[in-house]
Amino acid sequence: MIFYQLHIAKPTSQILEVTISFETALKTTDCIFIPYYRPGRYQHASYEKNINCLTATDANGENISLRRCDLNKWQPELDGITRISYQYECSRMDAGGSWIDDELVYLNFVNSLMMVEGRESETINVEISYDKPIETIYPSRSTSLQYDNYFQLIDEPFILSANSSTLAFEIDEIPFRIITIGSLPLPEVDLANLFKKFSIAQKNVFGEFPFGYYDYIIFCNERTPYHGVEHANCTVITLPQDKSPEENLNSLLGISSHELFHAWNVCRIRPQELWPYRLQSPVIFDTGYALEGFTTYYGDLMLVRSRVIDLDAFLAELNLRLAQYFQFDGRHNASLQSSSRSLWANAYDRASLEKEVSIYGKGMLASLTIDLFLRKSSENQFSLDEVMKWLWRDFYLQNKPYSHADILQLMEKAGGKEAAILFQKLVGSTEPIENFLTELLPFVGLQLKQLNNNSKLIQHLGIVAQMDADKLSIVKIFTESQAYEELMRGDVLVSINNMAPSEYNGEQQVTVEVLRGNRNLKLAWTEKIDSFGSYYEIQKMDQISEEHTTNMKMWIGV
């Protein structure tokens, strides 16, 4: 057994004092680590930066030095360590972080508790002491916690809060709770009923819930960003306070549905590279389209299928993803698979979307495309729903992870070889996704319409500029434009044809004045291409047949 004693002596210092005791002493060959990343976020988390005053002692209280052997790993200089102590700074208030102040303690043990490689399967006891009388609200009323193993420990947050409220509901005798910590302004709605509806819709995809209980834990205060993290039996969601009640509700429903789907897909159904999690170092995998693409698609699909949102709202979400997809050049440069393999270098960085595609955004669009193809080719006998059921039944329930090859086989099982070939194109190539959607959307009474960019700078000159400290700076130039030959990113636009850039009216012959460092330049050219930055939008067809209506109902239930 491994014992963790956690103490918060001064909450305003945001310091968590950690002591780890081992029944079996450590040897010089043992490796002590803090995770390199956390499940659900495939990026170096730098948790080691929050560790201070790291010490180790043997059974007699004698100090034994720890030698840093990697970025996030240490080894004993001598055999015999039975206790390790350190301080951990808890100052990150998002769904995956840890935070301490005089009103709230929120701990994610994945980022604050060290472990010994090879001893993750040992049982764990955690004792938490805090000098202020704040109510423990999660996971129970107790500050004494027991876990079967390390992976169970890091999957469950710990929360002390003096300001919380709870809504409860049941589905098939399984209890659900919506726990709100802080103040979240919402319109007058039956929130529990809305959550119940999309939760049932998700259960219907897989045939059963994967848990015996589930909690939606929602933080909302002046520090919280828009963020969500999945756990096996709960999700933690943070929302900002600067939105309207209607915006809060839309954000809450969208992210909650997304994270619930993760309870099946990722928390349990996982690729072979993440089975089990190896948190000590980065793990390269090419199935990010399944982890986040499938989940992003179903998160929104379940809302419309359960009638929590209407078709127009669902199409707005799809069009938001389309707009983001066409905004960046990554779609020309990288496939979903290669972008998944590059997560550790480029994930979650907006600038990287010029080089890679989003496993969330393009992953959602690829999921939509293959779902419509399966429905059309099988006359609604098969869909992506069946693929998700098979991943649950034939992989997770059989204690098996999946590979990319397995997913291709499931696509072929649902839609024949053509489905497998199409899916490989969607995730393994840079073929324009609009080509596929143009053909498939009419099956459900929808169409893809090409639109011009409403920015004249973008549409006519191929220049993307943003205000930065009262200066209009160039952040992107379309490579096929003449401006690409004359300008560079970082140039500050001063005038176009002797007028303010905001007054530019789309002329192809231009004289552009820019500041480049401390130089003032005037550059003239004639643009030969008359339209840059066009994008696509999914719209309802003008003429809807009974067959279109039937197919739409089979797809989204309305």
Side-chain angles (χ1 to χ4, degrees), residues 26-31 64 67 74-80:
L26 304 187
K27 299 180 179 180
T28 56
T29 53
D30 285 323
C31 180
I64 295 179
R67 176 178 60 86
W74 294 259
Q75 283 186 303
E77 294 280 10
L78 298 171
D79 292 346

Side-chain angles (χ1 to χ4, degrees), residues 184-303:
L184 178 62
L186 294 172
E188 290 291 332
V189 294
D190 187 345
L191 190 64
N193 188 50
L194 294 177
F195 273 63
K196 187 173 184 177
K197 284 181 176 180
F198 72 70
S199 300
I200 291 172
Q202 295 200 18
K203 185 208 76 169
N204 291 340
V205 171
F206 295 95
E208 61 184 324
F209 284 116
F211 39 65
Y213 68 91
Y214 193 80
D215 295 316
Y216 299 92
I217 304 169
I218 304 155
F219 288 95
C220 187
N221 59 46
E222 67 277 8
R223 302 181 186 89
T224 46
Y226 179 80
H227 192 215
V229 171
E230 67 269 18
H231 298 279
N233 294 293
C234 72
T235 177
V236 176
I237 293 164
T238 60
L239 293 174
Q241 281 190 327
D242 59 349
K243 305 297 181 182
S244 69
E246 291 73 21
E247 289 174 313
N248 286 338
L249 179 62
N250 290 337
S251 296
L252 177 59
L253 293 172
I255 198 168
S256 298
S257 183
H258 178 101
E259 299 302 338
L260 176 62
F261 202 82
H262 272 319
W264 289 273
N265 188 37
V266 174
C267 289
R268 292 169 175 88
I269 302 168
R270 290 206 299 272
Q272 57 193 7
E273 295 87 353
L274 301 177
W275 186 288
Y277 285 116
R278 295 184 290 278
L279 300 175
Q280 300 93 319
S281 57
V283 180
I284 306 299
F285 56 91
D286 64 357
T287 48
Y289 62 81
L291 297 175
E292 295 297 348
F294 288 171
T295 302
T296 302
Y297 175 62
Y298 272 98
D300 290 331
L301 182 64
M302 295 299 96
L303 292 177

Side-chain angles (χ1 to χ4, degrees), residues 19 109 160 173 271 300 312 314 454 524:
T19 300
F109 295 140
L160 294 170
E173 298 183 350
D300 290 331
D312 288 340
F314 178 56
N454 56 15

Side-chain angles (χ1 to χ4, degrees), residues 426-437:
L426 291 170
V427 302
S429 79
T430 58
E431 288 197 38
I433 202 162
E434 60 267 29
N435 295 351
F436 306 114
L437 287 174

Side-chain angles (χ1 to χ4, degrees), residues 258-485:
H258 178 101
E259 299 302 338
L260 176 62
F261 202 82
H262 272 319
W264 289 273
N265 188 37
V266 174
C267 289
R268 292 169 175 88
I269 302 168
R270 290 206 299 272
Q272 57 193 7
E273 295 87 353
L274 301 177
W275 186 288
Y277 285 116
R278 295 184 290 278
L279 300 175
Q280 300 93 319
S281 57
V283 180
I284 306 299
F285 56 91
D286 64 357
T287 48
Y289 62 81
L291 297 175
E292 295 297 348
F294 288 171
T295 302
T296 302
Y297 175 62
Y298 272 98
D300 290 331
L301 182 64
M302 295 299 96
L303 292 177
V304 67
R305 195 177 284 179
S306 61
R307 302 189 182 185
V308 170
I309 64 174
D310 61 18
L311 176 59
D312 288 340
F314 178 56
L315 294 183
E317 288 298 322
L318 291 178
N319 285 327
L320 178 62
R321 298 292 178 177
L322 272 173
Q324 292 169 343
Y325 171 73
F326 285 104
Q327 184 179 355
F328 299 100
D329 286 340
R331 68 187 190 279
H332 302 306
N333 302 325
S335 69
L336 270 168
Q337 284 185 284
S338 65
S339 297
S340 180
R341 287 190 289 267
S342 299
L343 282 172
W344 298 99
N346 296 321
Y348 317 105
D349 179 359
R350 187 176 178 84
S352 72
L353 294 177
E354 298 292 350
K355 299 178 289 183
E356 313 284 346
V357 292
S358 166
I359 61 172
Y360 297 81
K362 190 182 177 182
M364 178 191 195
L365 298 174
S367 302
L368 165 67
T369 304
I370 195 63
D371 192 15
L372 293 179
F373 178 86
L374 293 174
R375 292 175 182 278
K376 182 179 179 181
S377 63
S378 69
E379 296 182 346
N380 287 311
Q381 296 303 303
F382 291 95
S383 69
L384 193 56
D385 289 12
E386 277 66 44
V387 174
M388 298 310 303
K389 285 188 184 80
W390 295 332
L391 283 170
W392 173 251
R393 184 191 69 193
D394 299 336
F395 287 85
Y396 175 73
L397 292 183
Q398 302 306 316
N399 199 34
K400 288 168 47 181
Y402 65 82
S403 66
H404 173 65
D406 292 324
I407 291 183
L408 289 180
Q409 288 180 358
L410 294 180
M411 294 298 174
E412 183 171 345
K413 180 179 178 181
K417 288 186 177 180
E418 286 188 5
I421 292 170
L422 171 60
F423 191 71
Q424 183 57 47
K425 288 180 181 179
L426 291 170
V427 302
S429 79
T430 58
E431 288 197 38
I433 202 162
E434 60 267 29
N435 295 351
F436 306 114
L437 287 174
T438 298
E439 178 184 346
L440 292 167
L441 284 169
F443 177 69
V444 290
L446 301 174
Q447 61 183 344
L448 200 63
K449 185 173 181 179
Q450 188 172 12
L451 302 172
N452 289 327
N453 200 292
N454 56 15
S455 165
K456 290 181 179 179
L457 277 177
I458 296 174
Q459 181 182 349
H460 299 292
L461 294 181
I463 298 171
V464 182
Q466 291 180 355
M467 291 300 297
D468 181 15
D470 297 325
K471 296 179 180 179
L472 187 62
S473 299
I474 295 174
V475 296
K476 177 182 176 178
I477 309 169
F478 283 75
T479 56
E480 65 270 29
S481 70
Q482 188 62 31
Y484 190 75
E485 305 297 325

